[in-house]
Amino acid sequence: MNRKDSLSIIEDEKGVWDLVIIGGGASGLGVALDALSRGLKVLLLEKSDFAKGTSSRSTKLVHGGVRYLAQGEVGLVLEALRERGRLLKNAPHLTINQPFVIPLYSFFDRLKYGVGLKIYDWMAGSLRLGKSKFVSREGTIKRLPQIRQKGLKGGILYHDGQFDDARLALVIAKTCIEMGGSILNYARVNKLSKDETGKINGVVFRDLIGKKNYKVSTKSVVNATGVFADKILQMDNPEARKMIQPSQGIHLVMDNSFLGGDDALMIPETSDGRVLFAVPWEGKLVVGTTDTLVKKPKMEPRPLASEINFILETASNYLVKPPKRSDVLSVFAGLRPLAAPKEGSTKTKEISRSHKVIVSKSKLITITGGKWTTFRKMGEDTVDAHFKNNNLTAIESTSASKHLHGYSLKEVDGHLKLYGSDASFILDLQKQNPEWAERIHEDYPYTGAEVVWAVREEMAQKIEDFLSRRCRILLLDAKASMQMAPKVAAIMAKELGNDDEWITEELEEFYKLARKYLINI
């Protein structure tokens, strides 16, 4: 996964691509994976880094969506449960079976949630991760040591999946390259080119690293830019109707001692009628999420004080030790690309989480809505639209059974498990250079070898690319990420052939970003 190699392939390509995909998050990568599984010629362009936006800011769950079942979205839940099972099979190095416990404070809750989760189990069929069951009061306390015990009647145990979202994006990108696709980050599409009939036949994009423009020809262009989909729609047609209603969700990260144990907590009904998760992840506890309508999408959305307070107050109602603002190690916000209804809506709960594929008069294909769990099915439906759009006989998709890069059933100790079969290459780099074997921060396991690997094999171009998405320290501990930044910058500069001026500029830019992940106490 080398940027120079990808650019060389693009420069040498004189023919027509089958698909040019705009967007390197869950949606775009899902489209690329499925298209390549059908033997199509694919180019994916991402204007910043892979999963820079919403796709690296999820609750880290691969799930059917218990709350969607309660809302009657049976089709969405069935689809998500099927895709959940497939992802856990195709990427065992990046996913785990995560037990959840719903604490019960009334006997009616036992009946309500017990029956609902039995239906959830049944819908998963052969891809079920485990049976839900009632857990006694003592058993619930054992699983959730810091749960509020006053009035506790017991709990309902059920299973869902957990994953590392940004690393999954990288793994899909690597898989696509291995399948013959061309994938490029820091490549901004500036124009959609059209033929004399007004049909799109190519794009003009700029390599933001090399400062060079490119024009490529294609049979189809896919707009998979998430919350920014309207910008591409308006690039195609300035009069295009708004299709996206962004909804902000934030997460607070704190020490896992606030919950204790390895099980996750699911609060099924908060004061505003939504759900809240407290999930152990990478040695920390991720608590969220909120659901707040946002007028204008931003690449770096900021958490609102009201959202932070809501999560802290809700968590405090269920935990023995109430978390305070000073306990928060990092706070991150993401924007869901909800498909806005024609009549508009003021409540995010009323907007469907299902994905939609829209084809414009110009033949631009846009994928909106959806979530990480269903990324592959979103891709499949979008590629189906490509065949229909071009009056072509559809080739059967094989992406459902495709093992993703790094696939390995061999257990790797520690955080290197996320690299799967690539873990051995990281260890080899550590042996090549003793300095690369040293930890970048005394409290965390990441080493210089991982920085080298990120530059050489994962297209990392900026300090943020490593500290936020190649490893997840910015989301786990913002202060620690700032302490790690100088060492990371020095290694990256050497690998990329950049000078001290680059280091200074990168550090200044990263510190400015990292401060946004800290809560002002």
Side-chain angles (χ1 to χ4, degrees):
M1 188 172 167
N2 183 284
R3 240 183 141 265
K4 289 181 180 178
D5 291 346
S6 289
L7 277 169
S8 295
I9 292 170
I10 294 167
E11 289 171 344
D12 293 342
E13 180 56 60
K14 306 303 178 187
V16 178
W17 299 87
D18 290 313
L19 266 78
V20 170
I21 301 160
I22 309 173
S27 302
L29 290 164
V31 176
L33 180 72
D34 190 78
L36 288 160
S37 83
R38 308 191 200 202
L40 301 183
K41 190 161 65 171
V42 175
L43 170 62
L44 181 146
L45 303 169
E46 163 56 47
K47 73 173 182 180
S48 79
D49 188 31
F50 306 111
K52 157 73 174 173
T54 303
S55 296
S56 62
R57 302 159 191 260
S58 73
T59 315
K60 321 307 175 197
L61 300 181
V62 187
H63 61 144
V66 175
R67 63 172 169 156
Y68 306 139
L69 184 60
Q71 293 168 7
E73 295 200 50
V74 176
L76 173 61
V77 176
L78 275 170
E79 180 178 89
L81 286 170
R82 186 165 56 245
E83 292 301 315
R84 179 192 71 176
R86 286 169 171 164
L87 184 54
L88 264 70
K89 285 186 175 182
N90 291 331
H93 54 307
L94 282 175
T95 56
I96 62 168
N97 181 334
Q98 175 64 62
F100 282 78
V101 176
I102 299 177
L104 304 175
Y105 292 93
S106 77
F107 291 111
F108 176 71
D109 285 347
R110 175 179 178 177
L111 177 64
K112 181 170 65 173
Y113 301 126
V115 171
L117 285 165
K118 285 299 179 187
I119 296 172
Y120 193 64
D121 292 345
W122 173 76
M123 290 173 69
S126 62
L127 294 174
R128 186 177 64 193
L129 301 182
K131 289 184 179 181
S132 61
K133 63 180 182 180
F134 173 75
V135 182
S136 68
R137 184 178 189 276
E138 293 72 23
T140 300
I141 295 169
K142 186 176 181 181
R143 285 181 169 273
L144 303 175
Q146 298 301 312
I147 196 70
R148 177 171 64 86
Q149 297 180 20
K150 184 179 180 180
L152 183 69
K153 310 296 183 186
I156 299 288
L157 172 71
Y158 75 98
H159 297 260
D160 253 325
Q162 190 192 76
F163 76 134
D164 184 316
D165 47 13
R167 186 142 287 281
L168 177 61
L170 288 170
V171 159
I172 298 168
K174 281 197 166 193
T175 306
C176 288
I177 288 174
E178 291 167 352
M179 295 169 74
S182 293
I183 311 286
L184 193 67
N185 59 356
Y186 294 100
R188 184 186 64 215
V189 172
N190 290 329
K191 182 181 178 183
L192 304 173
S193 57
K194 300 180 179 180
D195 62 20
E196 62 279 1
T197 68
K199 306 301 182 187
I200 292 175
N201 61 8
V203 305
V204 176
F205 75 90
R206 183 167 181 78
D207 168 19
L208 298 176
I209 302 297
K211 311 295 183 185
K212 183 178 177 182
N213 293 331
Y214 295 84
K215 183 176 181 178
V216 297
S217 299
T218 182
K219 295 176 185 175
S220 289
V221 171
V222 174
N223 173 14
T225 53
V227 291
F228 299 102
D230 284 332
K231 288 191 174 183
I232 303 300
L233 285 165
Q234 286 161 5
M235 185 186 291
D236 170 44
N237 174 15
E239 305 301 319
R241 180 179 72 85
K242 182 181 178 183
M243 298 300 299
I244 301 297
Q245 173 56 71
S247 165
Q248 178 162 294
I250 78 158
H251 296 82
L252 305 183
V253 180
M254 56 194 74
D255 193 271
N256 194 38
S257 61
F258 280 94
L259 183 61
D262 298 322
D263 290 7
L265 166 67
M266 197 272 232
I267 301 169
E269 195 166 348
T270 61
S271 59
D272 64 353
R274 297 190 177 95
V275 301
L276 195 76
F277 294 102
V279 186
W281 181 62
E282 296 294 309
K284 306 297 184 189
L285 186 69
V286 178
V287 187
T289 178
T290 54
D291 208 352
T292 309
L293 284 177
V294 175
K295 289 183 178 180
K296 188 177 180 181
K298 296 179 180 179
M299 187 58 81
E300 279 294 338
R302 297 295 300 273
L304 304 174
S306 58
E307 292 180 299
I308 294 170
N309 293 336
F310 169 76
I311 291 178
L312 288 173
E313 288 168 7
T314 304
S316 295
N317 291 333
Y318 288 85
L319 301 177
V320 172
K321 181 184 176 184
K324 302 186 296 292
R325 295 174 71 90
S326 58
D327 297 315
V328 178
L329 299 171
S330 185
V331 54
F332 61 93
L335 299 178
R336 304 175 189 87
L338 303 184
K342 288 184 179 180
E343 301 301 320
S345 176
T346 58
K347 294 182 180 180
T348 56
K349 289 186 290 182
E350 295 174 1
I351 304 175
S352 175
R353 261 57 174 179
S354 298
H355 63 273
K356 295 180 182 178
V357 179
I358 301 154
V359 180
S360 306
K361 289 181 180 179
S362 64
K363 290 174 57 177
L364 174 68
I365 303 171
T366 299
I367 173 72
T368 68
K371 58 179 185 173
W372 247 124
T373 305
T374 57
F375 85 95
R376 190 213 61 82
K377 185 63 169 64
M378 291 162 63
E380 183 178 320
D381 291 348
T382 305
V383 179
D384 283 343
H386 157 75
F387 285 110
K388 185 177 180 180
N389 212 14
N390 289 281
N391 297 314
L392 298 171
T393 302
I395 301 169
E396 186 177 353
S397 168
T398 61
S399 59
S401 58
K402 179 65 181 176
H403 289 171
L404 299 182
H405 177 88
Y407 175 91
S408 175
L409 296 176
K410 181 182 178 183
E411 280 291 328
V412 178
D413 292 333
H415 77 289
L416 291 183
K417 175 184 184 295
L418 294 171
Y419 289 90
S421 59
D422 283 345
S424 60
F425 299 118
I426 306 289
L427 294 172
D428 286 343
L429 285 171
Q430 291 179 7
K431 293 175 184 176
Q432 288 176 29
N433 187 332
E435 290 184 7
W436 293 346
E438 295 176 3
R439 289 189 174 199
I440 308 168
H441 191 288
E442 61 181 2
D443 295 335
Y444 294 95
Y446 314 110
T447 65
E450 291 171 75
V451 184
V452 174
W453 180 259
V455 174
R456 294 182 184 179
E457 302 291 341
E458 295 177 344
M459 282 194 199
Q461 299 294 306
K462 300 173 71 64
I463 297 174
E464 177 200 342
D465 297 347
F466 180 79
L467 290 171
S468 181
R469 290 173 293 279
R470 303 310 185 276
C471 84
R472 310 310 307 277
I473 192 64
L474 176 60
L475 275 64
L476 295 168
D477 188 336
K479 283 185 179 178
S481 75
M482 296 172 77
Q483 293 163 356
M484 292 165 66
K487 288 184 179 179
V488 171
I491 296 171
M492 288 188 72
K494 191 171 183 180
E495 286 294 316
L496 291 167
N498 292 327
D499 56 18
D500 289 344
E501 184 179 351
W502 178 88
I503 292 176
T504 301
E505 290 175 356
E506 275 289 303
L507 286 174
E508 184 178 340
E509 186 178 330
F510 181 75
Y511 291 147
K512 184 179 178 180
L513 172 69
R515 282 192 284 269
K516 295 178 181 178
Y517 287 69
L518 294 168
I519 290 182
N520 294 321
I521 302 168

